[in-house]
Coordinates of all heavy atoms in Angstrom, one line a residue:
N1 N 1.6 16.9 8.5 CA 0.8 17.6 7.5 C 1.0 17.1 6.1 O 0.2 17.3 5.3 CB 1.1 19.1 7.6 CG 0.6 19.8 8.8 OD1 -0.3 19.3 9.5 ND2 1.2 20.9 9.2
S2 N 2.2 16.5 5.9 CA 2.4 16.0 4.5 C 3.3 14.8 4.6 O 4.0 14.5 5.6 CB 3.1 17.1 3.7 OG 4.4 17.3 4.1
Y3 N 3.3 14.0 3.5 CA 4.1 12.8 3.4 C 5.0 13.0 2.2 O 4.6 13.7 1.2 CB 3.2 11.5 3.2 CG 2.3 11.2 4.3 CD1 0.9 11.3 4.1 CD2 2.8 10.6 5.5 CE1 0.1 11.0 5.2 CE2 1.9 10.3 6.5 CZ 0.6 10.4 6.3 OH -0.3 10.0 7.3
E4 N 6.1 12.2 2.2 CA 7.0 12.2 1.1 C 7.5 10.8 0.9 O 7.9 10.2 1.9 CB 8.2 13.2 1.4 CG 9.1 13.3 0.2 CD 10.2 14.3 0.5 OE1 11.1 14.0 1.3 OE2 10.1 15.5 0.0
L5 N 7.4 10.3 -0.3 CA 7.9 8.9 -0.5 C 9.3 9.0 -1.1 O 9.5 9.7 -2.1 CB 7.0 8.2 -1.5 CG 7.4 6.8 -1.9 CD1 7.5 5.9 -0.7 CD2 6.4 6.2 -3.0
R6 N 10.3 8.4 -0.4 CA 11.6 8.3 -0.9 C 12.0 6.8 -1.1 O 11.8 6.0 -0.3 CB 12.6 8.9 0.1 CG 12.5 10.4 0.2 CD 13.6 10.9 1.1 NE 13.5 12.4 1.1 CZ 14.3 13.1 0.4 NH1 15.2 12.6 -0.3 NH2 14.1 14.5 0.4
V7 N 12.5 6.5 -2.3 CA 13.0 5.2 -2.7 C 14.4 5.3 -3.0 O 14.8 6.1 -4.0 CB 12.2 4.6 -3.8 CG1 12.7 3.2 -4.2 CG2 10.7 4.5 -3.5
K8 N 15.3 4.7 -2.2 CA 16.7 4.7 -2.4 C 17.2 6.2 -2.4 O 18.0 6.6 -3.3 CB 17.2 4.0 -3.7 CG 16.9 2.5 -3.6 CD 17.4 1.7 -4.7 CE 17.2 0.2 -4.5 NZ 17.8 -0.6 -5.5
G9 N 16.7 7.0 -1.5 CA 17.1 8.4 -1.4 C 16.5 9.4 -2.3 O 16.8 10.6 -2.2
K10 N 15.7 8.9 -3.3 CA 15.1 9.8 -4.3 C 13.7 10.0 -4.0 O 13.0 9.0 -3.7 CB 15.3 9.3 -5.7 CG 16.8 9.3 -6.1 CD 16.9 8.8 -7.5 CE 18.4 8.8 -7.9 NZ 18.6 8.4 -9.3
V11 N 13.2 11.2 -4.1 CA 11.8 11.5 -3.9 C 11.0 10.9 -5.1 O 11.4 11.1 -6.3 CB 11.5 13.0 -3.8 CG1 10.0 13.3 -3.7 CG2 12.2 13.6 -2.6
V12 N 10.0 10.1 -4.8 CA 9.1 9.5 -5.8 C 7.7 10.2 -5.7 O 7.2 10.2 -4.7 CB 9.0 8.0 -5.6 CG1 8.1 7.4 -6.6 CG2 10.4 7.4 -5.7
E13 N 7.2 10.7 -6.9 CA 5.9 11.3 -6.9 C 4.9 10.2 -6.6 O 4.9 9.1 -7.2 CB 5.6 11.9 -8.2 CG 6.5 13.1 -8.5 CD 6.2 14.3 -7.6 OE1 5.0 14.5 -7.3 OE2 7.2 14.9 -7.1
A14 N 4.0 10.5 -5.7 CA 2.9 9.6 -5.4 C 1.7 10.4 -4.9 O 1.9 11.3 -4.1 CB 3.3 8.6 -4.3
P15 N 0.5 10.1 -5.4 CA -0.7 10.9 -4.9 C -1.0 10.6 -3.5 O -0.6 9.5 -2.9 CB -1.8 10.4 -5.9 CG -1.4 9.1 -6.4 CD 0.1 9.1 -6.4
P16 N -1.8 11.4 -2.8 CA -2.1 11.3 -1.4 C -2.7 9.9 -1.1 O -2.4 9.4 0.0 CB -3.1 12.4 -1.1 CG -2.8 13.4 -2.2 CD -2.3 12.7 -3.4
K17 N -3.6 9.3 -1.9 CA -4.2 8.0 -1.6 C -3.1 6.9 -1.5 O -3.2 6.1 -0.6 CB -5.2 7.6 -2.6 CG -6.5 8.4 -2.5 CD -7.3 8.0 -1.2 CE -8.6 8.7 -1.2 NZ -9.2 8.9 0.1
E18 N -2.1 6.9 -2.4 CA -1.1 5.9 -2.3 C -0.3 6.1 -1.1 O 0.1 5.1 -0.4 CB -0.2 6.0 -3.6 CG -0.9 5.6 -4.8 CD 0.0 5.7 -6.1 OE1 1.2 6.0 -5.9 OE2 -0.6 5.7 -7.2
L19 N 0.0 7.3 -0.7 CA 0.8 7.5 0.5 C 0.0 7.2 1.8 O 0.6 6.6 2.7 CB 1.2 9.0 0.6 CG 2.2 9.4 -0.5 CD1 2.4 10.9 -0.5 CD2 3.5 8.7 -0.5
E20 N -1.3 7.4 1.7 CA -2.1 7.1 2.9 C -2.2 5.5 3.0 O -2.1 5.0 4.1 CB -3.5 7.7 2.7 CG -4.4 7.5 3.9 CD -5.7 8.2 3.7 OE1 -5.9 9.0 2.8 OE2 -6.6 7.9 4.5
L21 N -2.3 4.8 1.9 CA -2.3 3.4 1.9 C -1.0 2.8 2.5 O -1.0 1.9 3.3 CB -2.6 2.8 0.5 CG -4.0 2.7 0.1 CD1 -4.1 2.3 -1.4 CD2 -4.7 1.6 0.9
L22 N 0.1 3.4 2.0 CA 1.4 2.9 2.5 C 1.5 3.2 4.0 O 2.0 2.3 4.7 CB 2.5 3.6 1.7 CG 3.9 3.1 1.9 CD1 4.0 1.6 1.6 CD2 4.9 3.9 1.1
N23 N 1.1 4.3 4.4 CA 1.1 4.7 5.8 C 0.2 3.7 6.6 O 0.6 3.4 7.8 CB 0.7 6.1 6.0 CG 0.9 6.6 7.4 OD1 2.0 6.4 8.0 ND2 -0.1 7.2 8.0
C24 N -0.8 3.2 6.1 CA -1.7 2.3 6.8 C -1.1 0.9 6.8 O -1.1 0.2 7.8 CB -3.0 2.1 6.1 SG -4.2 3.5 6.3
L25 N -0.5 0.5 5.7 CA 0.0 -0.9 5.6 C 1.4 -1.1 6.2 O 1.6 -2.2 6.8 CB 0.1 -1.3 4.1 CG -1.2 -1.4 3.4 CD1 -1.0 -1.5 1.9 CD2 -2.0 -2.7 3.9
A26 N 2.3 -0.2 6.1 CA 3.7 -0.4 6.5 C 3.9 -0.7 8.0 O 4.7 -1.5 8.4 CB 4.5 0.8 6.1
P27 N 3.2 0.0 8.9 CA 3.6 -0.2 10.3 C 3.1 -1.5 11.0 O 3.5 -1.8 12.1 CB 2.9 0.9 11.1 CG 2.3 1.8 10.0 CD 2.3 1.1 8.7
T28 N 2.3 -2.3 10.3 CA 1.7 -3.5 10.9 C 1.7 -4.7 10.0 O 1.4 -4.5 8.8 CB 0.3 -3.2 11.5 OG1 -0.2 -4.4 12.0 CG2 -0.6 -2.7 10.4
P29 N 1.8 -5.9 10.5 CA 1.7 -7.1 9.6 C 0.3 -7.5 9.4 O 0.0 -8.5 8.8 CB 2.5 -8.2 10.4 CG 2.3 -7.8 11.8 CD 2.3 -6.2 11.8
T30 N -0.7 -6.7 9.8 CA -2.1 -7.1 9.7 C -2.5 -7.1 8.2 O -2.1 -6.2 7.4 CB -3.0 -6.0 10.4 OG1 -2.6 -6.0 11.8 CG2 -4.4 -6.3 10.4
V31 N -3.4 -8.0 7.9 CA -4.0 -8.0 6.5 C -5.1 -7.0 6.5 O -6.0 -7.1 7.3 CB -4.5 -9.4 6.1 CG1 -5.2 -9.4 4.8 CG2 -3.4 -10.4 6.2
F32 N -5.0 -6.0 5.6 CA -6.1 -5.0 5.5 C -7.1 -5.5 4.5 O -6.8 -5.8 3.3 CB -5.5 -3.7 5.1 CG -4.8 -3.0 6.3 CD1 -3.5 -3.2 6.5 CD2 -5.6 -2.3 7.2 CE1 -2.9 -2.6 7.6 CE2 -5.0 -1.7 8.3 CZ -3.6 -1.9 8.5
T33 N -8.3 -5.6 4.9 CA -9.5 -6.0 4.1 C -10.4 -4.8 3.9 O -10.3 -3.8 4.5 CB -10.2 -7.2 4.8 OG1 -10.9 -6.6 5.9 CG2 -9.3 -8.3 5.2
P34 N -11.4 -5.0 3.0 CA -12.3 -3.9 2.8 C -13.1 -3.5 4.1 O -13.6 -2.4 4.2 CB -13.3 -4.5 1.8 CG -12.5 -5.4 1.0 CD -11.5 -6.1 2.0
A35 N -13.1 -4.3 5.1 CA -13.8 -4.0 6.3 C -12.9 -3.3 7.3 O -13.4 -2.8 8.4 CB -14.3 -5.3 7.0
T36 N -11.6 -3.1 7.1 CA -10.8 -2.5 8.1 C -10.9 -1.0 8.0 O -11.3 -0.4 7.0 CB -9.3 -2.9 7.8 OG1 -8.9 -2.4 6.6 CG2 -9.1 -4.3 8.0
S37 N -10.5 -0.3 9.1 CA -10.5 1.1 9.1 C -9.6 1.8 8.1 O -10.0 2.9 7.6 CB -10.2 1.6 10.5 OG -8.8 1.2 10.9
C38 N -8.5 1.2 7.8 CA -7.6 1.8 6.7 C -8.4 1.9 5.4 O -8.4 2.9 4.8 CB -6.4 0.9 6.5 SG -5.3 1.4 5.2
W39 N -9.1 0.9 5.0 CA -9.8 0.9 3.8 C -11.0 1.9 3.8 O -11.2 2.6 2.9 CB -10.4 -0.5 3.4 CG -9.3 -1.4 3.0 CD1 -8.3 -1.9 3.7 CD2 -9.2 -2.0 1.7 NE1 -7.5 -2.7 3.0 CE2 -8.0 -2.8 1.7 CE3 -9.9 -1.8 0.5 CZ2 -7.6 -3.5 0.6 CZ3 -9.4 -2.5 -0.6 CH2 -8.3 -3.3 -0.5
T40 N -11.6 2.0 5.0 CA -12.7 2.9 5.1 C -12.2 4.4 5.0 O -12.8 5.2 4.3 CB -13.4 2.7 6.5 OG1 -13.8 1.4 6.6 CG2 -14.6 3.6 6.7
R41 N -11.1 4.7 5.6 CA -10.5 6.0 5.5 C -10.1 6.3 4.1 O -10.1 7.5 3.7 CB -9.2 6.1 6.4 CG -9.5 6.2 7.9 CD -8.4 6.8 8.7 NE -7.1 6.3 8.3 CZ -6.4 5.3 8.9 NH1 -6.9 4.7 9.9 NH2 -5.2 5.0 8.5
C42 N -9.7 5.3 3.3 CA -9.3 5.5 1.9 C -10.5 5.5 1.0 O -10.3 5.6 -0.2 CB -8.3 4.4 1.5 SG -6.7 4.5 2.4
G43 N -11.7 5.3 1.5 CA -12.9 5.4 0.7 C -13.3 4.1 0.0 O -14.1 4.2 -0.9
A44 N -12.8 3.0 0.5 CA -13.1 1.7 -0.2 C -14.3 1.1 0.4 O -14.3 0.0 1.0 CB -11.9 0.8 -0.1
L45 N -15.5 1.7 0.2 CA -16.7 1.2 0.7 C -17.5 0.4 -0.3 O -18.3 -0.4 0.0 CB -17.6 2.3 1.4 CG -16.9 3.0 2.6 CD1 -17.8 4.2 3.0 CD2 -16.7 2.0 3.7
S46 N -17.3 0.8 -1.6 CA -18.0 0.1 -2.6 C -17.1 -0.8 -3.4 O -15.9 -0.7 -3.3 CB -18.7 1.1 -3.6 OG -17.6 1.8 -4.3
T47 N -17.6 -1.7 -4.3 CA -16.8 -2.5 -5.1 C -15.9 -1.7 -6.0 O -14.8 -1.9 -6.3 CB -17.7 -3.5 -6.0 OG1 -18.5 -4.2 -5.0 CG2 -16.9 -4.4 -6.8
T48 N -16.5 -0.6 -6.6 CA -15.7 0.3 -7.5 C -14.6 0.9 -6.7 O -13.4 1.0 -7.2 CB -16.6 1.4 -8.0 OG1 -17.7 0.8 -8.7 CG2 -15.9 2.3 -8.9
A49 N -14.8 1.4 -5.5 CA -13.7 2.0 -4.7 C -12.7 0.9 -4.3 O -11.5 1.3 -4.3 CB -14.3 2.6 -3.4
Q50 N -13.1 -0.3 -4.1 CA -12.1 -1.3 -3.8 C -11.2 -1.6 -5.0 O -10.0 -1.8 -4.9 CB -12.8 -2.6 -3.4 CG -13.5 -2.5 -2.0 CD -14.3 -3.7 -1.7 OE1 -14.0 -4.8 -2.1 NE2 -15.4 -3.5 -0.9
R51 N -11.8 -1.5 -6.2 CA -10.9 -1.6 -7.4 C -9.9 -0.5 -7.5 O -8.8 -0.6 -8.0 CB -11.8 -1.7 -8.7 CG -12.7 -2.9 -8.7 CD -12.1 -4.3 -8.9 NE -11.4 -4.8 -7.8 CZ -11.9 -5.6 -6.8 NH1 -13.1 -5.9 -6.8 NH2 -11.1 -6.0 -5.9
T52 N -10.4 0.7 -7.1 CA -9.5 1.9 -7.1 C -8.3 1.6 -6.1 O -7.2 1.9 -6.5 CB -10.3 3.1 -6.7 OG1 -11.3 3.3 -7.6 CG2 -9.4 4.4 -6.6
I53 N -8.6 1.0 -5.0 CA -7.5 0.7 -4.0 C -6.6 -0.3 -4.7 O -5.3 -0.2 -4.6 CB -8.1 0.1 -2.7 CG1 -9.0 1.1 -2.0 CG2 -7.0 -0.4 -1.8 CD1 -8.3 2.4 -1.5
D54 N -7.1 -1.3 -5.4 CA -6.3 -2.2 -6.1 C -5.3 -1.5 -7.1 O -4.1 -1.9 -7.2 CB -7.1 -3.2 -6.9 CG -8.0 -4.1 -6.1 OD1 -7.7 -4.3 -4.9 OD2 -9.0 -4.7 -6.6
V55 N -5.8 -0.5 -7.8 CA -4.9 0.2 -8.7 C -3.9 1.0 -7.9 O -2.7 1.0 -8.3 CB -5.8 1.2 -9.6 CG1 -4.9 2.1 -10.4 CG2 -6.7 0.4 -10.5
H56 N -4.2 1.6 -6.8 CA -3.2 2.3 -6.0 C -2.2 1.4 -5.5 O -1.0 1.7 -5.5 CB -3.9 3.0 -4.8 CG -4.7 4.2 -5.2 ND1 -4.2 5.3 -5.9 CD2 -6.0 4.6 -4.9 CE1 -5.1 6.2 -6.1 NE2 -6.2 5.8 -5.5
V57 N -2.5 0.2 -5.1 CA -1.6 -0.8 -4.6 C -0.7 -1.2 -5.7 O 0.6 -1.3 -5.6 CB -2.3 -2.0 -4.0 CG1 -1.3 -3.2 -3.7 CG2 -3.0 -1.6 -2.7
K58 N -1.2 -1.4 -6.9 CA -0.4 -1.8 -8.1 C 0.6 -0.7 -8.4 O 1.8 -1.0 -8.6 CB -1.3 -2.0 -9.3 CG -0.6 -2.3 -10.6 CD -1.6 -2.4 -11.8 CE -0.8 -2.6 -13.1 NZ -0.4 -1.4 -13.7
R59 N 0.2 0.5 -8.4 CA 1.1 1.6 -8.6 C 2.2 1.8 -7.5 O 3.3 2.1 -7.8 CB 0.3 2.9 -8.8 CG -0.5 2.9 -10.1 CD -1.2 4.2 -10.3 NE -2.0 4.1 -11.5 CZ -3.1 4.9 -11.7 NH1 -3.5 5.8 -10.8 NH2 -3.7 4.8 -12.8
L60 N 1.8 1.6 -6.3 CA 2.8 1.6 -5.2 C 3.8 0.5 -5.4 O 5.0 0.7 -5.2 CB 2.1 1.4 -3.9 CG 1.6 2.6 -3.1 CD1 0.8 2.2 -1.9 CD2 2.8 3.5 -2.7
R61 N 3.4 -0.7 -5.8 CA 4.3 -1.8 -6.1 C 5.3 -1.4 -7.1 O 6.5 -1.7 -7.0 CB 3.6 -3.0 -6.5 CG 3.0 -3.8 -5.4 CD 2.5 -5.1 -5.8 NE 1.9 -5.8 -4.7 CZ 0.7 -6.4 -4.7 NH1 -0.1 -6.3 -5.8 NH2 0.3 -7.0 -3.7
E62 N 4.9 -0.8 -8.2 CA 5.7 -0.3 -9.3 C 6.8 0.7 -8.7 O 7.9 0.6 -9.1 CB 4.9 0.3 -10.4 CG 4.1 -0.7 -11.2 CD 3.1 -0.1 -12.1 OE1 3.0 1.1 -12.2 OE2 2.4 -0.9 -12.8
K63 N 6.3 1.6 -7.9 CA 7.2 2.7 -7.4 C 8.2 2.1 -6.4 O 9.3 2.6 -6.3 CB 6.4 3.8 -6.8 CG 5.6 4.5 -7.8 CD 4.6 5.5 -7.2 CE 3.8 6.1 -8.3 NZ 2.8 7.0 -7.9
L64 N 7.8 1.1 -5.7 CA 8.7 0.5 -4.7 C 9.5 -0.7 -5.2 O 10.3 -1.2 -4.4 CB 7.8 0.0 -3.5 CG 7.1 1.1 -2.7 CD1 6.1 0.5 -1.7 CD2 8.0 2.1 -2.0
A65 N 9.4 -1.0 -6.4 CA 10.1 -2.2 -7.0 C 11.6 -2.0 -6.8 O 12.2 -1.0 -7.1 CB 9.8 -2.3 -8.5
G66 N 12.2 -3.0 -6.2 CA 13.7 -3.0 -6.0 C 14.1 -2.1 -4.9 O 15.3 -2.0 -4.7
A67 N 13.2 -1.5 -4.1 CA 13.6 -0.7 -3.0 C 14.3 -1.5 -1.9 O 15.2 -1.0 -1.2 CB 12.4 0.1 -2.4
S68 N 13.8 -2.7 -1.6 CA 14.4 -3.5 -0.6 C 14.1 -5.0 -0.9 O 13.0 -5.3 -1.4 CB 13.9 -3.1 0.8 OG 14.4 -4.0 1.8
D69 N 15.0 -5.9 -0.4 CA 14.7 -7.3 -0.5 C 14.2 -7.8 0.9 O 14.0 -9.0 1.1 CB 15.9 -8.1 -1.0 CG 17.1 -8.0 -0.1 OD1 17.0 -7.2 0.9 OD2 18.1 -8.7 -0.3
K70 N 14.0 -6.9 1.8 CA 13.6 -7.3 3.2 C 12.1 -7.2 3.4 O 11.6 -7.6 4.5 CB 14.3 -6.4 4.2 CG 15.8 -6.6 4.2 CD 16.5 -5.8 5.2 CE 18.0 -5.7 5.2 NZ 18.7 -6.8 4.7
W71 N 11.3 -6.6 2.5 CA 9.9 -6.4 2.7 C 9.2 -6.4 1.3 O 9.9 -6.1 0.3 CB 9.6 -5.2 3.5 CG 10.2 -3.9 3.0 CD1 11.4 -3.4 3.5 CD2 9.8 -3.1 1.9 NE1 11.7 -2.2 2.8 CE2 10.7 -2.0 1.8 CE3 8.8 -3.1 1.0 CZ2 10.7 -1.0 0.9 CZ3 8.7 -2.1 0.1 CH2 9.6 -1.1 0.0
E72 N 7.9 -6.6 1.3 CA 7.1 -6.4 0.1 C 5.7 -6.1 0.5 O 5.2 -6.4 1.5 CB 7.2 -7.6 -0.8 CG 6.6 -8.9 -0.3 CD 6.7 -10.0 -1.2 OE1 6.3 -9.9 -2.4 OE2 7.0 -11.1 -0.8
L73 N 5.0 -5.6 -0.5 CA 3.5 -5.3 -0.4 C 2.9 -6.5 -1.0 O 2.9 -6.8 -2.2 CB 3.2 -4.0 -1.1 CG 1.8 -3.5 -1.0 CD1 1.4 -3.3 0.5 CD2 1.7 -2.1 -1.7
K74 N 2.2 -7.4 -0.1 CA 1.7 -8.7 -0.6 C 0.2 -8.6 -0.7 O -0.5 -7.9 0.0 CB 2.0 -9.7 0.5 CG 3.4 -10.2 0.5 CD 3.8 -11.5 0.2 CE 3.1 -12.8 0.2 NZ 4.0 -13.8 -0.3
T75 N -0.3 -9.4 -1.7 CA -1.7 -9.6 -1.8 C -2.1 -10.9 -1.1 O -1.4 -11.9 -1.2 CB -2.1 -9.8 -3.3 OG1 -1.8 -8.6 -4.0 CG2 -3.6 -10.1 -3.5
V76 N -3.1 -10.8 -0.3 CA -3.6 -12.0 0.4 C -4.9 -12.3 -0.4 O -5.9 -11.6 -0.2 CB -3.9 -11.8 1.9 CG1 -4.5 -13.1 2.5 CG2 -2.7 -11.4 2.6
W77 N -4.8 -13.2 -1.4 CA -5.9 -13.4 -2.3 C -7.2 -13.7 -1.7 O -7.4 -14.4 -0.7 CB -5.6 -14.6 -3.3 CG -4.4 -14.2 -4.2 CD1 -3.1 -14.7 -4.1 CD2 -4.4 -13.3 -5.2 NE1 -2.3 -14.1 -5.0 CE2 -3.1 -13.2 -5.8 CE3 -5.4 -12.5 -5.8 CZ2 -2.7 -12.4 -6.8 CZ3 -5.0 -11.7 -6.9 CH2 -3.7 -11.7 -7.4
G78 N -8.2 -12.9 -2.2 CA -9.6 -13.0 -1.7 C -9.8 -12.3 -0.3 O -10.9 -12.4 0.2
V79 N -8.7 -11.7 0.2 CA -8.9 -11.1 1.5 C -8.5 -9.6 1.5 O -9.3 -8.7 1.8 CB -8.0 -11.8 2.6 CG1 -8.1 -11.1 3.9 CG2 -8.3 -13.3 2.7
G80 N -7.3 -9.3 1.1 CA -6.8 -7.9 1.0 C -5.3 -7.8 0.8 O -4.8 -8.6 0.1
Y81 N -4.7 -6.9 1.5 CA -3.2 -6.6 1.3 C -2.5 -6.5 2.7 O -3.2 -6.2 3.7 CB -3.0 -5.3 0.6 CG -3.6 -5.3 -0.8 CD1 -4.8 -4.6 -1.0 CD2 -3.0 -5.9 -1.8 CE1 -5.4 -4.6 -2.3 CE2 -3.5 -5.9 -3.1 CZ -4.8 -5.3 -3.3 OH -5.3 -5.2 -4.6
K82 N -1.2 -6.8 2.6 CA -0.4 -6.6 3.8 C 1.0 -6.2 3.5 O 1.5 -6.5 2.4 CB -0.4 -7.8 4.7 CG 0.3 -9.0 4.2 CD 0.3 -10.2 5.2 CE 1.1 -11.3 4.7 NZ 1.2 -12.4 5.7
F83 N 1.7 -5.6 4.4 CA 3.1 -5.2 4.2 C 3.8 -6.3 5.0 O 3.7 -6.5 6.2 CB 3.3 -3.9 4.9 CG 4.6 -3.2 4.5 CD1 4.8 -2.5 3.4 CD2 5.7 -3.4 5.4 CE1 6.0 -1.9 3.0 CE2 6.9 -2.8 5.1 CZ 7.1 -2.1 3.9
E84 N 4.6 -7.1 4.2 CA 5.3 -8.2 4.8 C 6.8 -8.0 4.9 O 7.4 -7.7 3.9 CB 5.0 -9.5 4.0 CG 5.5 -10.8 4.6 CD 5.1 -12.0 3.8 OE1 4.0 -12.5 4.2 OE2 5.8 -12.4 2.9
V85 N 7.3 -8.2 6.1 CA 8.8 -8.1 6.3 C 9.3 -9.6 6.3 O 8.8 -10.4 6.9 CB 9.1 -7.5 7.7 CG1 10.6 -7.5 7.9 CG2 8.5 -6.1 7.7
R86 N 10.3 -9.8 5.4 CA 10.9 -11.1 5.3 C 12.0 -11.3 6.4 O 12.7 -10.4 6.8 CB 11.6 -11.2 3.9 CG 10.6 -11.1 2.8 CD 11.3 -11.3 1.5 NE 10.4 -11.1 0.4 CZ 10.6 -10.2 -0.6 NH1 11.8 -9.6 -0.7 NH2 9.7 -10.0 -1.5
Q87 N 12.0 -12.5 6.9 CA 12.9 -12.8 8.0 C 14.3 -13.2 7.4 O 14.4 -13.8 6.4 CB 12.4 -14.0 8.8 CG 11.1 -13.6 9.5 CD 11.2 -12.5 10.5 OE1 12.2 -12.3 11.1 NE2 10.1 -11.7 10.6

């Protein structure tokens, strides 16, 4: 029913859209593009909405900065975003 974002054991305030995006991106190495179901659920059907998703991703990166050196939220230029686990 609800999500909570914790970074290094502390609760970090994040709006529902950011949490929904993180929930879409984190479990899979798939690149999420505007055509994927994750983006559709987040309302990214228009160019304006896609820019809104870009802002949410930027804010998520700021909130997750320094949380781990084992993963990152990556931009795949011209395609979309993915959650990448480093080997």
Side-chain angles (χ1 to χ4, degrees):
N1 289 337
S2 67
Y3 296 109
E4 182 176 79
L5 177 61
R6 288 183 176 263
V7 178
K8 295 187 176 183
K10 295 183 180 179
V11 176
V12 176
E13 291 295 319
K17 285 290 186 203
E18 289 177 15
L19 296 173
E20 188 175 347
L21 274 170
L22 189 58
N23 190 49
C24 286
L25 293 166
T28 177
T30 303
V31 176
F32 284 92
T33 67
T36 64
S37 61
C38 174
W39 286 66
T40 304
R41 285 198 322 259
C42 293
L45 298 175
S46 68
T47 303
T48 303
Q50 290 172 32
R51 297 290 73 86
T52 301
I53 298 295
D54 295 341
V55 171
H56 287 306
V57 169
K58 176 184 178 274
R59 290 180 181 159
L60 270 173
R61 282 189 178 128
E62 291 169 355
K63 292 171 184 174
L64 297 171
S68 177
D69 60 354
K70 298 183 186 331
W71 51 263
E72 70 178 311
L73 188 53
K74 287 242 341 176
T75 299
V76 180
W77 292 106
V79 180
Y81 299 101
K82 70 177 182 174
F83 193 85
E84 183 174 272
V85 178
R86 297 182 187 126
Q87 301 296 330

